[in-house]
Amino acid sequence: SSGINAEYGGRQEEMLRMLYEAMHGVFESAGASLNSHSFLPSSPFPTNDQGLLDSLSLIYENCALFADLYLRYPDLTEALYGRVGGGKFRTTAEQSVQFCWDRQDVYREGSTHGKLLHLAMQELNLVPRDQDYVNPHRRKASTTATAEKKKKKKTKERKKLPRGPSLSKARSEL
């Protein structure tokens, strides 16, 4: 944690911890509300029940925020997992992400929101990662990407010299 704290700074870590604590509470209470109504991802959209609609809305909104934060701060998020919600935050967050993905109404596959959620699901290892998936915000990925850029730069610097004999340019002497 001290390496994470030194890299990100204490205020950023504290801000994320507070956000994740609030999200954990929302995921738990809204999830409990959905469960008490036997609301499943396959259930029709609740147009007549305001309480159910509010719970669903809270899950969607917080899931989008969590996905964005997790993709931008994966190392810090993983360091905070055990300290948020009594260590239960990872489970509640992953269940909420999976629920939103399974609904396919707001987070349709191929939509902007769907792409964000799919990237978060890959980062969380809830779905198999695409072959070319790399999170540039992850420390390991950024060092690998930097090494690849340096390798490409080295190959670009080499110029092909013409082979064989050549005539030098004529010089005029006066």
Side-chain angles (χ1 to χ4, degrees), residues 144-159:
T144 304
T146 305
E148 287 177 15
K149 284 181 185 176
K150 286 181 182 178
K151 191 175 184 180
K152 286 182 181 179
K153 194 173 185 178
K154 284 182 182 179
T155 58
K156 285 182 181 179
E157 290 175 5
R158 294 181 185 172
K159 294 182 180 180

Side-chain angles (χ1 to χ4, degrees), residues 27-169:
F27 287 150
E28 278 194 329
S29 64
S33 173
L34 294 175
N35 286 336
S36 72
H37 287 86
S38 300
F39 190 83
L40 302 172
S42 58
S43 299
F45 195 79
T47 54
N48 298 331
D49 187 338
Q50 189 60 44
L52 198 54
L53 193 58
D54 289 345
S55 294
L56 190 58
S57 174
L58 286 169
I59 293 282
Y60 284 152
E61 291 167 359
N62 282 274
C63 186
L65 180 58
F66 170 73
D68 190 44
L69 291 172
Y70 186 70
L71 288 170
R72 292 180 192 272
Y73 305 103
D75 298 309
L76 184 54
T77 297
E78 289 174 4
L80 290 171
Y81 265 153
R83 299 188 313 217
V84 174
K88 297 177 184 177
F89 178 61
R90 179 182 200 118
T91 303
T92 58
E94 287 179 359
Q95 286 172 347
S96 298
V97 168
Q98 187 68 55
F99 175 84
C100 289
W101 181 254
D102 291 344
R103 283 282 309 165
Q104 286 291 307
D105 48 4
V106 172
Y107 294 102
R108 280 184 194 83
E109 201 168 343
S111 70
T112 303
H113 300 301
K115 289 176 185 174
L116 172 74
L117 194 63
H118 189 253
L119 290 171
M121 290 186 70
Q122 289 180 75
E123 189 67 31
L124 289 162
N125 292 313
L126 295 177
V127 295
R129 290 187 176 181
D130 294 342
Q131 191 172 12
D132 59 345
Y133 176 80
V134 174
N135 184 344
H137 299 289
R138 188 170 284 284
R139 269 189 286 159
K140 295 173 195 166
S142 62
T143 56
T144 304
T146 305
E148 287 177 15
K149 284 181 185 176
K150 286 181 182 178
K151 191 175 184 180
K152 286 182 181 179
K153 194 173 185 178
K154 284 182 182 179
T155 58
K156 285 182 181 179
E157 290 175 5
R158 294 181 185 172
K159 294 182 180 180
K160 286 191 172 183
L161 298 175
R163 292 186 161 197
S166 63
L167 298 173
S168 51
K169 293 181 182 179

